[in-house]
Amino acid sequence: MQRLNAGNTLESELKRWGADNPDKGLVTAYAKSLSDSAIKKLRATFRKELRKKQRVCQITGSRINLVASHIKPLRHCVSEEEALHPSNGLLLRGDHDQLFDKGFVSFDQTDCLIISSKIGEALGTIYTEQLIIAFGEEWIRSWQNGGSKCKIPPVYVPPKLSYPKGSFQARHHRQSRKPYLEAARLRSEFMDYHRRHVFKHPALGLTSHNDNA
């Protein structure tokens, strides 16, 4: 468990952890405007586009029982662009999607797994064993030990190359990297939203991959 820093209020600590704005039943006007058939069509399009980018479960690498999971929930999206943007999605196995969608797990600023102390509500009292079954022993041991093997793949950005300043190659390279950098920036924003508004973070109960207690 993370502990309250001396002299800090609970509110300031939750904000520091990026968990200060819990979901309170928000449904945006855009989400309310969607009919059941429109939602079904939107999810199908979203899944098709996301599979072009990710192809396999971002946690296990599995190709079975995959769900296109919104990072910023569809009910919170304010436009079709947000709802369909590939940076707002993770291709996950069905059981992981359930935990992510309900806010029992999320990912920190370095893409490492974080697990809510409320996970027992979803998995029961033997949740540690259930987590190992769900995520694999390597992921959970890494999470427990503060390792880096419990990460989802980042959005791909081509490496920055060195060209003569002002040259055609430099300009072309800079322009070609822009869409990738924008996609990575949006992924970061969407994941920050998930941590703040969806991830379950009871008072002083935030559990992360590098906790020591």
Side-chain angles (χ1 to χ4, degrees), residues 46 49-54 58 68-73 77 80-91 100 111 152-157 178-194:
F46 181 63
E49 293 304 310
L50 192 59
R51 285 189 71 105
K52 293 178 182 178
K53 301 285 186 181
Q54 299 183 6
Q58 298 299 280
S69 186
H70 278 91
I71 300 173
K72 182 176 184 179
C77 290
E80 184 175 280
E81 182 181 9
E82 268 194 353
L84 290 177
H85 203 291
S87 289
N88 190 22
L90 291 176
L91 205 58
F100 184 72
D111 293 323
I152 54 172
V155 174
Y156 173 73
V157 177
K178 276 187 176 181
Y180 297 95
L181 290 168
E182 177 65 6
R185 183 188 68 80
L186 287 172
R187 158 72 79 80
S188 179
E189 288 188 1
F190 285 130
M191 196 64 76
D192 181 69
Y193 188 95
H194 186 273

Side-chain angles (χ1 to χ4, degrees), residues 2 6 26 50 87 105 148 150 190 203:
Q2 293 201 19
L26 170 67
L50 192 59
S87 289
V105 301
S148 60
C150 54
F190 285 130

Side-chain angles (χ1 to χ4, degrees), residues 9-96:
T9 65
L10 173 60
E11 289 76 14
S12 67
E13 286 296 276
L14 288 175
K15 189 171 185 179
R16 180 175 68 86
W17 296 335
D20 53 319
N21 295 304
D23 179 2
K24 296 182 179 179
L26 170 67
V27 181
T28 63
Y30 166 72
K32 289 178 180 178
S33 73
L34 297 172
S35 65
D36 289 345
S37 60
I39 291 174
K40 185 176 180 180
K41 182 178 179 181
L42 186 148
R43 288 192 181 279
T45 301
F46 181 63
R47 185 173 189 272
K48 180 180 178 181
E49 293 304 310
L50 192 59
R51 285 189 71 105
K52 293 178 182 178
K53 301 285 186 181
Q54 299 183 6
R55 301 181 183 276
V56 299
C57 173
Q58 298 299 280
I59 292 171
T60 65
S62 172
R63 296 178 182 271
I64 301 173
N65 187 28
L66 298 180
V67 177
S69 186
H70 278 91
I71 300 173
K72 182 176 184 179
L74 177 58
R75 65 184 180 278
H76 291 190
C77 290
V78 299
S79 66
E80 184 175 280
E81 182 181 9
E82 268 194 353
L84 290 177
H85 203 291
S87 289
N88 190 22
L90 291 176
L91 205 58
L92 299 174
R93 203 173 66 191
D95 53 344
H96 301 141

